[in-house]
Amino acid sequence: QVVAIRPNRRISHGSITEDEEEEEDHDDVVMLEKKIRTSSMSEQALKVCLKEIKRLKKMPQSMPEYALTRNYLELMVELPWNKSTKDRLEIRAARIVLDNDHYAMEKLKKRVLEYLAVRQLKNNLKGPILCFVGPPGVGKTSVGRSIAKTLGREFHRIALGGVCDQSDIRGHRRTYVGSMPGRIINGLKTVGVNNPVFLLDEVDKLAKSLQGDPAAALLEVLDPEQNHSFTDHYLNVAFDLSQVLFIATANTTATIPPALLDRMEVIQVPGYTQEEKIEIAHRHLIPKQLELHGLTPQQIQIPQVTTLGIITRYTREAGVRALDRKLGAICRAVAVKVAEGQHKEAKPDRAEVGEGEDCKEHVTEDAKPESISDTADLALPPEMPILIDFHALKDILGPPMYDMEVSERLSQPGVAIGLAWTPLGGEIMFVEASRMDGEGQLTLTGQLGDVMKESAHLAISWLRSNAKRYQLTNASGSFDLLDNTDIHLHFPAGAVTKDGPSAGVTIVTCLASLFSGRLVCSDVAMTGEITLRGLVLPVGGIKDKVLAAHRAGLKRIIIPQRNEKDLEEIAAHVRQELSFVLAGCLDEVLNAAFDGGFAVKARLEHLNSKL
C-alpha cells in the first residue's frame, strides 16, 4: 500500500504544478490582451491582434505556433504606434549645436535649419528624405548623429553595406521558421518612438542576390507618398513611417538605382580644403586625440604650421581620417616620452619655426596656474610642452610620403598646365606634346579614358582646320599639321587613370605651343571642354581645381565663361590672390595663355575672276 500511495502523491503534486502553470499562462494572456486593448495601435492592427489573441487562448502551449503567435503579439504591443518625442525647434540653439559639432558643411546645415523653420510653422510635416553624397571621411555619418541631437530626437543607424536580401528591409513572412521583422521595424522597436532619425549608411553598396533586391524594397520606405502605410511582411499590417527623418549616405550616386535616387534629396558633401582641415584638426581632432592618450595641452604643442605639413606631406585624402591617425601616432610618441620621464625635446631651429616658439610661450603662459599644481603630481620636466616641428614629424612619421604640388618654369614649347578633379581634391597636371617624322598618327599615353581621347582628337582637328589662320606649320612648313608628322601627347602620372572632357583647352594650348614654337606662360593653368567650332563649354569641380592651382603657386586661371557662378564658392582671400580669365571660345584661351597674345594672321585672299 505504501508503495502504491507514493506515486499518487507525485501525480497529484504534478497536477497541482501544471494547474498553477496554466493559471499563470492564462493570466499572462489576459494581461497581453489588456495591453493590446489599451495600446494606441491603428484600428486595422487592433483587429488583427484581437483575432490572434482569440486563437492563442484556444491553443495548447505545447504547439510550436503558440510561442510564435505570442512573440508576434508582444512585438505589436511594443511598437511605438503613436509615441513620439517633441522636437526642439529653437533655430539659434540648433545652429550653435551644428557649428560646435562640425566645421564647414554650410549647405547641409542650411537644409537642417530650413526643416526646423518649416516644422515650427507646420506641425504635421512629413520627414524629409536626404541623401548625403561625398568621399569617405568627411563626416556624413557623424553629421546624421548631430542632426538627431539638434532636433532632440532618437537616433538609429542601419548599415546597408553588403545587404543582399530584401527580407532585411521588409522582414520575413510568419510562415517561415525563425521569421523576424525587417531592420526598419526592428529599429523602431529599439528606439521606442515613431519619429526618430534613421541613418541608412552606405546606401550605394547594396547588392542583389537570389533573395531579391533590397534597393527595390527601399523604394516603399523612402517614398513620402507610400511610407505612411509601410507593410512589413512579419507584421502584415500597415505602419506609418511618415514622421521618420531618413538620412542616407553614399560615396557615389553612380551605383544607386535611378528610381531610388529620384526619391531622395541629394546633398553633395565635398572634401575639405587645406584651410578647413587645419581648423578641424585644432578644433576637434587634436583635443580628441589628447584625451584618448591621456595628454594635456601643457605636455604637447602642435602649431598650425606643423598641421599643414602633416596635411600636405603625409596625407592625401578628401576627409580627415588619415590626418586623425597621424595625429594619434604623434600623441603615442609623446606619451612614450612622458611615461619614461626623460624627454628629448625635438629641438627645432628657432629661426625656422618662427610661429612654433611664439605658440609655445603663449601656451605656457596661459597654462601657468594649472601647470604649477600639475608639475608636483606628474613630476614634469621643465621642458614642457614638447613642441612638434618638422624635425619631430620626420622622426615620428618618417620621411614625407607625398611631394607638394608646385608649378615649375615651362622651358620648352609643347607643355601646358591643366587642372584635374579627383575625389581627393583638385590637382595640377602637366600636359606634354612632342612631334616627330612619321605617317600622321596621334599617340596618347597616360591611362586615358574614352572621353579624354576624344578631347585630344577634337583638339587636333580644330588646330588643323585653323592652322592657316594662326600660321601653324609642321616641321616641313606645311599647314597640314599631320603631313609626314606624328604627334605624341602624354599626361603624367602614367599610373593614374584619367577621364573627362575638361582637359580640352589644355590639349589645344599645348599643341598650339608645339606647332608655333612659343612657350606657354608658366603661371597660367586652365580647364574647360571644347567643341569642334572652338567654343569652351563649362565643367565641374571648379572650386577644387582653383584651390589646387592656388596651392601650387599659380597666378592666372583660365576657366569657361559659364563657370563664373562657381567662383562664388571660393573663399574671398583665395579669389583676391588669383586672376581669372573667363573664356567663351578658344581664341580667348590662346590669347590669355601666351605672352603678348596669340595673334591671328589676317591674310587677304585674292579671288581670281573667272569672267
Side-chain angles (χ1 to χ4, degrees), residues 31-49:
M31 188 68 74
L32 190 57
E33 186 179 4
K34 191 176 177 183
K35 283 181 183 176
I36 289 168
R37 290 185 184 280
T38 55
S39 70
S40 53
M41 64 177 71
S42 65
E43 193 176 328
Q44 183 194 2
L46 183 63
K47 193 176 175 182
V48 170
C49 286

Side-chain angles (χ1 to χ4, degrees), residues 280-566:
I280 290 165
H282 285 269
R283 290 186 186 196
H284 301 289
L285 303 183
I286 292 175
K288 184 185 88 174
Q289 289 294 346
L290 292 184
E291 188 181 343
L292 284 174
H293 293 87
L295 297 170
T296 63
Q298 289 80 40
Q299 293 167 323
I300 178 174
Q301 175 61 36
I302 304 177
Q304 288 203 354
V305 67
T306 305
T307 311
L308 180 61
I310 299 170
I311 292 164
T312 53
R313 293 169 181 268
Y314 290 93
T315 65
R316 183 158 290 182
E317 56 169 354
V320 290
R321 280 194 186 131
L323 175 60
D324 197 27
R325 285 194 289 270
K326 299 295 180 192
L327 291 169
I330 291 168
C331 289
R332 287 194 298 275
V334 172
V336 170
K337 295 287 184 189
V338 171
E340 284 177 350
Q342 44 192 4
H343 303 281
K344 293 178 183 176
E345 180 177 340
K347 294 182 181 177
D349 253 354
R350 297 299 182 190
E352 279 181 27
V353 191
E355 287 180 41
E357 190 172 354
D358 294 343
C359 291
K360 179 185 169 185
E361 288 172 10
H362 176 69
V363 170
T364 313
E365 283 172 17
D366 286 354
K368 265 181 186 172
E370 294 178 14
S371 62
I372 293 168
S373 60
D374 290 346
T375 308
D377 298 337
L378 297 170
L380 297 180
E383 296 171 356
M384 287 294 175
I386 294 176
L387 181 68
I388 305 296
D389 68 341
F390 288 120
H391 301 291
L393 275 187
K394 198 170 179 182
D395 290 340
I396 296 167
L397 301 178
M401 297 168 67
Y402 305 102
D403 294 324
M404 286 184 69
E405 296 166 350
V406 288
S407 61
E408 52 192 63
R409 185 118 190 110
L410 302 183
S411 56
Q412 67 180 64
V415 184
I417 303 172
L419 295 171
W421 178 90
T422 71
L424 310 179
E427 288 185 7
I428 65 168
M429 180 171 63
F430 292 88
V431 179
E432 304 166 353
S434 65
R435 63 181 175 178
M436 66 283 305
D437 292 340
E439 300 173 354
Q441 291 182 347
L442 176 63
T443 307
L444 302 168
T445 53
Q447 283 217 43
L448 309 184
D450 290 341
V451 177
M452 210 159 180
K453 287 177 184 173
E454 287 171 3
S455 291
H457 286 290
L458 268 173
I460 194 71
S461 296
W462 184 84
L463 281 170
R464 287 176 74 187
S465 64
N466 289 276
K468 281 187 181 178
R469 187 170 165 230
Y470 288 108
Q471 293 294 293
L472 301 175
T473 59
N474 62 10
S476 58
S478 168
F479 287 123
D480 185 359
L481 302 180
L482 289 179
D483 184 26
N484 296 324
T485 305
D486 283 354
I487 299 173
H488 188 149
L489 273 169
H490 179 61
F491 297 77
V496 180
T497 307
K498 307 165 198 74
D499 202 3
S502 63
V505 294
T506 317
I507 299 169
V508 168
T509 307
C510 176
L511 291 172
S513 165
L514 179 71
F515 287 112
S516 66
R518 297 178 59 190
L519 292 176
V520 179
C521 297
S522 296
D523 63 346
V524 173
M526 61 200 77
T527 184
E529 183 181 350
I530 59 170
T531 71
L532 212 49
R533 290 183 294 160
L535 301 178
V536 180
L537 301 183
V539 292
I542 291 292
K543 179 184 176 184
D544 291 317
K545 290 175 180 177
V546 168
L547 291 171
H550 180 253
R551 282 198 301 271
L554 298 165
K555 298 299 177 193
R556 270 197 303 162
I557 300 175
I558 302 169
I559 63 169
Q561 195 163 19
R562 282 157 63 185
N563 279 120
E564 185 177 8
K565 61 184 184 302
D566 297 312

Side-chain angles (χ1 to χ4, degrees), residues 203-219:
V203 78
D204 58 328
K205 295 175 183 62
L206 288 166
K208 282 184 184 179
S209 73
L210 294 171
Q211 281 76 36
D213 185 1
L218 275 175
L219 294 178

